[in-house]
């Protein structure tokens, strides 16, 4: 386990993203299975980094306070990048839940609408308006979820929002298509 005050280790020979010096090629194989015969010396399991002190990298920048946040520019810090992606994913998730809730209310209130409204076309208009509201909310949630997935950061809520909304969209479109087919077949 690495210490919390050190930046993550770079693979040997890989250029550091902060280094201005040219990367140094490795002096030789770093692992016994890479072609060098095993010398019989005990192996700790970690490849030799060629750095003068353990836990440091030759191309690593000097640390000012020794924190991981100091080793990265402000735009590349996880807290700044994930704040916008995570909040957009959260909004997409909330809109998807709202669409799901509205769809549930429309479904549960449909028998009441049938009893209260005498005209069959009024019941159809009630269902169509309710499903249209759900469809619009679901499309907005899918768009917000897709925007959030393309940003760095936490994406689990955006994925859940895309799944909920895509299933709501598919359900409404298939329902409308089947109603249209039956209406045309029996008219």
């Amino acid at each position: 386990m690495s210490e919390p005050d050190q930046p993550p280790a770079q693979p040997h020979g890989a250029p550091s993203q902060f280094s201005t010096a040219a990367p140094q090629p490795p002096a030789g194989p770093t692992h016994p299975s890479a072609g060098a015969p095993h010398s019989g010396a005990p192996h700790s399991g970690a490849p030799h980094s060629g750095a003068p002190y353990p836990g440091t990298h030759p191309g690593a920048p000097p640390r000012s306070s020794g924190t991981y946040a100091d080793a990265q520019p402000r735009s590349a810090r996880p807290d700044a990048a994930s704040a916008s992606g995570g909040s957009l994913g959260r909004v997409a998730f909330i809109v998807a839940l709202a669409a799901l809730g509205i769809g549930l209310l429309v479904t549960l209130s449909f028998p009441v609408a049938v009893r209260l409204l005498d005209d069959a076309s009024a019941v159809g208009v009630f269902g169509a308006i309710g499903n249209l509201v759900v469809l619009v909310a679901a499309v907005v949630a899918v768009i917000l979820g897709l925007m959030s997935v393309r940003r760095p950061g936490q994406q689990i809520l955006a994925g859940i929002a895309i799944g909920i909304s895509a299933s709501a969209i598919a359900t409404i479109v298939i329902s409308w298509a089947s109603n249209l087919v039956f209406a045309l077949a029996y008219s």
Side-chain angles (χ1 to χ4, degrees):
M1 182 130 203
S2 64
E3 296 179 22
D5 64 331
Q6 292 192 5
Q10 296 273 339
H12 184 66
S16 172
Q17 63 181 358
F18 305 109
S19 174
T20 57
Q24 299 292 326
T30 59
H31 196 272
S33 66
H38 187 61
S39 64
H43 185 62
S44 66
H48 177 67
S49 66
Y53 300 103
T56 62
H57 187 273
R63 295 181 280 156
S64 59
S65 68
T67 63
Y68 177 70
D70 287 338
Q72 292 186 340
R74 179 69 184 154
S75 63
R77 290 187 185 176
D79 58 343
S82 67
S84 63
S87 63
L88 192 59
R90 191 177 306 118
V91 169
F93 180 68
I94 291 170
V95 171
L97 286 180
L100 189 68
I102 293 169
L104 181 65
L105 286 175
V106 169
T107 303
L108 292 177
S109 64
F110 204 74
V112 175
V114 169
R115 295 226 353 121
L116 293 178
L117 301 172
D118 294 329
D119 189 20
S121 62
V123 173
V125 169
F126 171 76
I129 290 174
N131 283 333
L132 183 65
V133 170
V134 172
L135 182 67
V136 169
V139 167
V140 168
V142 165
I143 291 170
L144 290 175
L146 290 174
M147 288 172 50
S148 176
V149 165
R150 298 200 37 99
R151 294 184 179 184
Q154 187 74 9
Q155 298 173 347
I156 188 75
L157 290 178
I160 294 170
I162 291 170
I164 291 171
S165 300
S167 70
I169 291 169
T171 301
I172 291 171
V173 168
I174 291 171
S175 172
W176 282 352
S178 69
N179 287 338
L180 179 65
V181 167
F182 284 122
L184 293 177
Y186 292 113
S187 61

